[in-house]
Amino acid sequence: MTTSLRTDAPTEPVFVARRHPGRWVGVCVIVAIGSALGYSLATNPRFQWGVVFGYLFDPQIIAGLGTTGALTAIAMVLGIVLGVVLATMRVSGSRILRAASGLYLWFFRGTPVLVQLIFWYNLGYLYPDLRIGLPFGSALWTGQTNDVITPLTAAILGLGLNEGAYLAEIVRAGLISVPDGQREAAASIGLTRLQAFRRIILPQAMRVIVPPTGNETIGMLKTTSMVSVIALADLLYSAQQIYARTFETIPLLICVSLWYLLLTSVLSVGQGWIERHYARGVRGATGYRRRRTPFAALTGTGRRAGVRP
Amino acid sequence: MKPVDHSVTLHNVVKRYGQHEVLRGVSLSIPANTVTCVVGPSGSGKSTLLRTINRLTPIDAGTVRVGDQIIGYEQRDGRYHELSDRQLCRQRRRIGMVFQDFNLFPHLTAVQNVGEGPRRALRLDAATARNRALELLRRVGLTDKADSYPGQLSGGQQQRVAIARALAMRPELILFDEPTSALDPELVAEVLAVMRQLAAEASTTMVVVTHEIGFAREVADAVVFMDDGRIEAVGTPAEVLHPDASPRIAAFLSGNLK
């Protein structure tokens, strides 16, 4: 490749990087919009920042925050467990297991989660009494549906069962992204199918599973706000109860939005950590990323034009 | 439990994919501690034949024996009962395999790839498994690559790690499925050198599906020529890899059959 280099060249050539005038125009527009927005946020008294920050640590808001966080966590755990089971059924050799899993997905993805929430909350209308026992046999346990289905259990069922259907597809995508050769290689060194799944398949599938699951978790955090329809006192419902009394609607919605933003930021950071963990052995993606200065995006490669050998 | 014999015996092995018969009743006997090369045009069923030996490909009829064990089945009260996953894994631990596309575990380093079998399947402690893996990497000349991920290795290096991974289980029998077919021409020699060295040690049975006729001539004790799901010829390399052996073999050797 270097055959054309002339040994008698007096000086080394200087390379100058391309300029990007379009980027500078973009930056100017963004700065203009940003400063206008910032100015209005700071000077418009109707935002009532005093009220916003006054309610930030209100006991009712904090209690709602706890409910939202716990509900998100429980619904996601239920969803992940269901998702793994449903995805395994969906790639199983049994036609009946595959069909059952498919039917579940069809139903829970095919109806609005809001309907599912209200449905679970009103389960007592369809089944006033619940009993656990063998079909046609005597009951081991019986009880009133309305004692079991509280707003909280209805919310967990509605959100978790619905989430399971979505996560099933995410987990399945992860499983089929791992080439068959990996299963064969694991089998050839004498790993059982369970060992192969845990040690070989799942760690590789996780690269595909984690990003959309992070998305789902952040989505779930906000979907939990739907439980206000069944009168469960989550973050949004707590704020609604307060502004129904004080009519400070906008400041209270800003207040809870700040909390939602904080929680989603924490979740995004956590997702980044998990992704980096599973990027072992993979070039690109998040694995070998170099630190870049904020202006690197403007100037191109982040490395100023220089002399190339 | 310790079998003395690790010969391979196939009896009337049949494999179908739908209507297509890939193996049409193949019978073959491979003595212990020998090197057998399986050659033939593509689509002749040679890779399928190899994969039936450790039951990566389950068969439709016939039996595969390694030593005194029937692979995939257990004889009880006059019937053959299909083995559980756990029992099949126990059989597979005796049989190493090297794949065309290496199939290294990309999320594990070279030494972890080699140590995974001893650690998980043989349940050795971490230090013993690691030492065994390092020793095998030394044997294939990759001591300095122990902590590299497969993505950082050349094809030839990856295949040598894969050979070390197969050896780590101390198998009595190693299956090679076209181990050099996915390699750039200049990397083939390093893999063949490792296999040659392995063949010279003569403590394991090797079955090698290959397109490397030169390697087969030089190293094999026996050569099997397969064509259209059947064995066309078996014998010493000189007997089988000779144009006079059959018109099909003559065509294959002259490069008219691929």
Side-chain angles (χ1 to χ4, degrees):
Chain A
M1 292 324 138
T2 56
T3 48
S4 62
L5 268 185
R6 286 174 48 186
T7 49
D8 60 341
T11 52
E12 294 193 67
V14 175
F15 295 90
V16 179
R18 191 196 296 168
R19 299 288 146 186
H20 299 280
R23 293 179 182 176
W24 286 106
V25 173
V27 167
C28 292
V29 172
I30 289 166
V31 168
I33 295 175
S35 47
L37 201 61
Y39 179 77
S40 78
L41 281 175
T43 55
N44 185 344
R46 295 191 177 207
F47 278 108
Q48 292 179 275
W49 291 110
V51 179
V52 170
F53 290 108
Y55 277 110
L56 209 52
F57 297 101
D58 183 272
Q60 204 172 347
I61 295 287
I62 295 297
L65 181 71
T67 305
T68 290
L71 191 56
T72 304
I74 296 169
M76 283 311 290
V77 168
L78 180 61
I80 288 169
V81 171
L82 266 174
V84 171
V85 171
L86 288 164
T88 319
M89 285 168 69
R90 207 134 163 79
V91 296
S92 121
S94 157
R95 186 175 303 201
I96 300 202
L97 290 185
R98 283 202 305 272
S101 171
L103 197 66
Y104 183 99
L105 261 66
W106 171 77
F107 183 80
F108 281 93
R109 288 199 305 178
T111 51
V113 66
L114 188 59
V115 173
Q116 290 174 31
L117 277 172
I118 299 172
F119 183 88
W120 285 112
Y121 188 54
N122 291 296
L123 193 66
Y125 172 78
L126 287 176
Y127 302 100
D129 299 302
L130 294 177
R131 57 189 280 280
I132 294 177
L134 294 173
F136 313 114
S138 61
L140 299 170
W141 177 89
T142 53
Q144 290 262 302
T145 303
N146 287 338
D147 295 339
V148 182
I149 300 290
T150 62
L152 184 66
T153 50
I156 290 171
L157 283 172
L159 297 173
L161 297 185
N162 183 70
E163 191 56 36
Y166 286 92
L167 280 167
E169 286 295 89
I170 292 172
V171 173
R172 187 172 71 94
L175 294 182
I176 61 181
S177 76
V178 182
D180 263 346
Q182 294 290 311
R183 284 178 192 85
E184 293 182 350
S188 79
I189 57 169
L191 298 189
T192 63
R193 282 165 55 147
L194 191 65
Q195 283 176 325
F197 181 77
R198 277 194 33 233
R199 301 277 313 162
I200 308 299
I201 308 300
L202 197 59
Q204 296 183 59
M206 285 301 272
R207 287 206 320 113
V208 174
I209 292 173
V210 170
T213 303
N215 237 357
E216 289 292 311
T217 311
I218 288 171
M220 175 62 80
L221 186 74
K222 293 169 298 168
T223 310
T224 53
S225 64
M226 282 197 200
V227 301
S228 60
V229 299
I230 54 174
L232 180 60
D234 75 320
L235 186 52
L236 181 63
Y237 190 71
S238 305
Q240 287 173 331
Q241 280 182 313
I242 297 173
Y243 70 64
R245 212 169 54 229
T246 66
F247 300 105
E248 292 160 325
T249 309
I250 297 296
L252 270 152
L253 288 179
I254 294 174
C255 172
V256 297
S257 294
L258 289 178
W259 277 118
Y260 280 115
L261 281 170
L262 180 74
L263 288 183
T264 51
S265 308
V266 170
L267 288 174
S268 303
V269 171
Q271 179 187 338
W273 280 340
I274 299 174
E275 275 180 38
R276 268 190 293 283
H277 174 75
Y278 286 108
R280 278 174 304 168
V282 183
R283 225 180 300 240
T286 50
Y288 289 52
R289 199 168 48 179
R290 265 184 305 155
R291 183 174 279 280
R292 290 178 136 208
T293 62
F295 274 90
L298 277 178
T299 54
T301 61
R303 196 167 25 150
R304 293 304 306 200
V307 181
R308 291 255 194 103
Chain B
M1 190 59 214
K2 189 80 185 163
V4 271
D5 179 24
H6 37 278
S7 59
V8 180
T9 316
L10 290 92
H11 182 69
N12 269 332
V13 171
V14 174
K15 176 66 193 176
R16 292 184 206 93
Y17 287 113
Q19 293 290 308
H20 183 58
E21 230 174 28
V22 193
L23 297 176
R24 305 163 181 261
V26 173
S27 296
L28 177 66
S29 177
I30 297 173
N33 303 330
T34 60
V35 179
T36 302
C37 285
V38 183
V39 299
S42 22
S44 59
K46 38 187 207 306
S47 279
T48 308
L49 179 78
L50 193 76
R51 293 161 55 90
T52 63
I53 299 176
N54 65 351
R55 209 173 161 79
L56 282 185
T57 300
I59 55 178
D60 295 309
T63 51
V64 177
R65 280 171 202 271
V66 173
D68 54 354
Q69 289 191 2
I70 296 175
I71 297 300
Y73 294 91
E74 170 183 48
Q75 208 172 3
R76 254 188 292 127
D77 43 76
R79 297 186 198 183
Y80 292 111
H81 297 267
E82 196 172 349
L83 291 181
S84 71
D85 182 44
R86 188 170 291 275
Q87 292 169 309
L88 184 60
C89 282
R90 207 166 295 143
Q91 287 187 334
R92 280 181 178 145
R93 278 173 213 161
R94 306 165 50 202
I95 309 172
M97 186 155 188
V98 176
F99 298 86
Q100 180 175 351
D101 298 318
F102 330 133
N103 292 348
L104 289 181
F105 308 129
H107 60 301
L108 302 179
T109 60
V111 68
Q112 289 170 334
N113 263 278
V114 179
E116 184 70 9
R119 180 86 182 92
R120 305 292 155 182
L122 302 181
R123 298 192 181 283
L124 301 183
D125 64 86
T128 314
R130 187 179 163 83
N131 284 337
R132 187 188 280 198
L134 286 172
E135 164 59 20
L136 284 161
L137 285 177
R138 193 189 59 73
R139 266 178 73 185
V140 298
L142 289 173
T143 303
D144 54 329
K145 299 289 182 190
D147 295 316
S148 301
Y149 285 100
Q152 299 166 318
L153 301 176
S154 75
Q157 291 169 335
Q158 288 190 52
Q159 194 60 300
R160 281 147 68 199
V161 174
I163 292 172
R165 178 176 69 180
L167 291 174
M169 300 298 290
R170 307 219 167 124
E172 300 142 6
L173 164 67
I174 307 184
L175 312 172
F176 293 85
D177 189 4
E178 304 198 25
T180 57
S181 298
L183 295 176
D184 291 337
E186 73 271 21
L187 301 178
V188 169
E190 63 182 70
V191 171
L192 290 183
V194 169
M195 291 173 61
R196 214 171 267 129
Q197 178 197 333
L198 208 59
E201 288 167 15
S203 58
T204 44
T205 310
M206 289 168 67
V207 185
V208 187
V209 170
T210 185
H211 288 292
E212 298 286 333
I213 301 299
F215 176 80
R217 271 187 218 283
E218 179 197 345
V219 175
D221 298 300
V223 171
V224 175
F225 185 88
M226 283 201 71
D227 190 30
D228 196 24
R230 287 198 182 83
I231 290 177
E232 172 102 358
V234 190
T236 64
E239 289 163 2
V240 176
L241 297 174
H242 194 280
D244 294 344
S246 90
R248 293 289 287 175
I249 292 174
F252 177 75
L253 291 176
S254 66
N256 294 333
L257 230 56
K258 265 291 162 205

